[in-house]
Each structure stands twice: as structure tokens, then as C-alpha cells.
Amino acid sequence: MTTIARRTQDLTASRAPFVHATVVRAQDPTSARPGDDAVILPDGTIEGFVGGVCAENSVRAAALDALRDGSALLLRVLPDGAPAFPDTPGARVVVNPCHSGGALEIFLRPVLPVPVLGLVGDTPISAAVATLAAFLDFEVATSGDYAGATAVVVAGLGKGEQDAIRAALDAGVGHIALVASRKRGAAVLDELALSDAERARVRTPAGLEIGARSPQEIALSIMAEVVRALRVDGLASSPARPAALPQQAVDPVCGMTVLVGPDTPHVRIDGTDHWFCCPGCLDRHVAA
């Protein structure tokens, strides 16, 4: 197993988001070769090799964009003066003036931790929810610690409901599904004396209205509502997708997108900050 393969395993096990970058095409002259790979972390750090410093700047910027939206991307890195190669859905073209003359195509695959579903209760419904959630690639947590959970399903049918709802609200969970009738669910929430904002985060009766009767059908309606909250309503999928990523800037000399960090070449002129891909561009800008 390669060093990068081991690193991706470690990052996945620790639930850390990252991007796996793989060179799929390299046109000489270029230092990278097909099969070279690297991981890019949310702070822009690159571990591995997918090209020289000019390619790395473009890879960093594209990888962080992929982390933001969770979509894979094919990055085409072309030398200055190359024939036009239009952007297409799922692909991005960048031109690096400092490129040695070759071209690269790099596949960027964001790897985000699977969403966590907190589950409360020891009932046939909670068992069905656990089975279906695992099938849908959720990590099911029954420990009562809801930090980082995408959603919490409270299916105790009268046992431990209020404590679980309060704990999930305090943990910042955006979707809390209380399995109860409309009347009983409203009574439970009334006793909790929730604010309007907190009450809006609790769904009761839990699940979409599909006429569900059996525990399995009820679990289907509950998980369908959770998936809709994720995919349609924009429910944040926990800390899986980083909210804060490094600032980006455009090099005023070569036009490259660079990440702003303590080691990024920088100058402040007339109250305006300028960031550069390399010291050479900084020197040319200052000289001009």
C-alpha cells in the first residue's frame, strides 16, 4: 500500500474531510506522471505529488472548491498559449503562464465523512431506522452524544424523549425527528418550553406522509424526510463539509488563483493587498 493510500485510510477513519487528487493524463514536458496522487486538506496543505509549484496552486484552489460543494472535478492545467479548451460541466480549465509547456489532467475527488444519525429508543421503529440508515450510508450513533450529528431520530415512544430532544438542540442538530402522534408530539414540545427557532428544528409527527403503518414503512418515511432535508432543504451535513476555507486571491501578474496564507508572496501598495503565486511575479509587479 502506498503512503497516500495509507493516508487516505487514516483520514477517512478519523472523519477528516479531504480531496484525493490523481493525475490521469500528463503531456510532456511535465514533472508529474499518470497515477501520481496526493491528498489536499481543508487548510490547503498538499501531501503527495501531482505536479510542480505552478500546478499545485491550481490544484489547491480547485480542490477547496470541490470540498465546498462536495462534487468531483476534472482539472485541466494547460500552458500559456495552448489552444482553447472550454470549461464543461464537471471539468475546469486553468492556464498557468509559468508552466513548463506540458499539460495535466487531474481528477479531484472530495472525500467527506458520512453523515451521522443520532438514534434514541429501543423499539421496533428505532431498529428499523437503524437498519435503513446504515443501508443509506449514515453512521448510526446511539451513545447520546449528538455533537456533529446531521439528524437525530427520537423513537423511544415515551421514554427519554425530552432529555434527548434537549440534548440534540443543545448540540446544534438541525433536524430532530420525534416519533409521536401529532397531539402527543405537540404536548412534549410544549412541556419543553422551546423557543420558536428551536421548535422549528423538531419534526413531529416524524417522517413524510406516505400512509406508513409497519415499523419498516415508518422508518422509510423518517429517513426520506432526513434525506430531503439534506439534499433539498440544504441541511448542513455536520462538520463533514468545512465551513471556513482559506481565502483565495488572483495573482495580478499571471492571473493564477492562489491561496492566501502566511507563506504566500504578498505586498501592500497604496492600502491594497496583492498576493502572488511566486516571488518572481511579486518582483515583476513591484518593478512595474
Side-chain angles (χ1 to χ4, degrees):
M1 182 181 294
T2 67
T3 300
I4 295 301
R6 285 194 297 269
R7 182 63 169 139
T8 60
Q9 283 191 347
D10 292 343
L11 289 168
T12 301
S14 65
R15 294 186 54 81
F18 65 96
V19 172
H20 185 210
T22 304
V23 177
V24 295
R25 187 176 77 88
Q27 175 182 302
D28 288 333
T30 179
S31 53
R33 290 292 178 264
D36 287 344
D37 64 343
V39 295
I40 300 92
L41 305 181
D43 64 357
T45 300
I46 293 182
E47 300 178 13
F49 183 76
V50 287
V53 63
C54 290
E56 281 192 350
N57 279 315
S58 298
V59 169
R60 281 193 182 95
L64 295 188
D65 286 343
L67 269 184
R68 283 188 181 93
D69 63 21
S71 299
L73 178 70
L74 179 64
L75 178 67
R76 294 186 171 105
V77 185
L78 305 180
D80 195 16
F85 203 149
D87 284 340
T88 57
R92 177 185 299 181
V93 177
V94 295
V95 175
N96 284 339
C98 57
H99 202 275
S100 61
L104 291 170
E105 289 190 2
I106 302 168
F107 182 66
L108 303 172
R109 179 175 65 91
V111 180
L112 302 173
V114 297
V116 175
L117 182 81
L119 185 58
V120 180
D122 184 14
T123 64
I125 292 175
S126 65
V129 168
T131 299
L132 182 55
F135 175 75
L136 295 172
D137 289 333
F138 282 78
E139 179 180 323
V140 179
T142 59
S143 64
D145 180 4
Y146 307 123
T150 298
V152 170
V153 176
V154 181
L157 300 182
K159 297 180 180 179
E161 294 172 329
Q162 293 187 352
D163 289 344
I165 292 171
R166 185 70 265 169
L169 288 169
D170 291 343
V173 177
H175 183 99
I176 303 164
L178 172 60
V179 180
S181 67
R182 190 176 304 278
K183 182 177 180 180
R184 192 176 74 80
V188 170
L189 299 188
D190 287 341
E191 291 177 6
L192 282 168
L194 304 179
S195 68
D196 290 342
E198 289 177 330
R199 192 156 184 151
R201 289 154 59 192
V202 183
R203 274 66 168 181
T204 188
L208 301 179
E209 180 51 62
I210 61 172
R213 294 185 178 181
S214 69
Q216 292 80 9
E217 291 173 347
I218 294 171
L220 174 62
S221 72
I222 291 170
M223 290 309 301
E225 188 176 43
V226 170
V227 171
R228 186 182 67 178
L230 270 172
R231 306 303 182 200
V232 178
D233 300 336
L235 176 69
S237 56
S238 81
R241 186 170 300 157
L245 294 172
Q247 176 188 350
Q248 298 184 15
V250 176
D251 185 323
V253 174
C254 69
M256 284 181 58
T257 299
V258 298
L259 299 187
V260 174
D263 298 327
T264 308
H266 163 260
V267 67
R268 187 176 180 84
I269 299 176
D270 296 331
T272 302
D273 290 308
H274 302 278
W275 307 90
F276 304 88
C277 70
C278 62
C281 280
L282 169 61
D283 293 342
R284 287 194 290 275
H285 185 76
V286 172

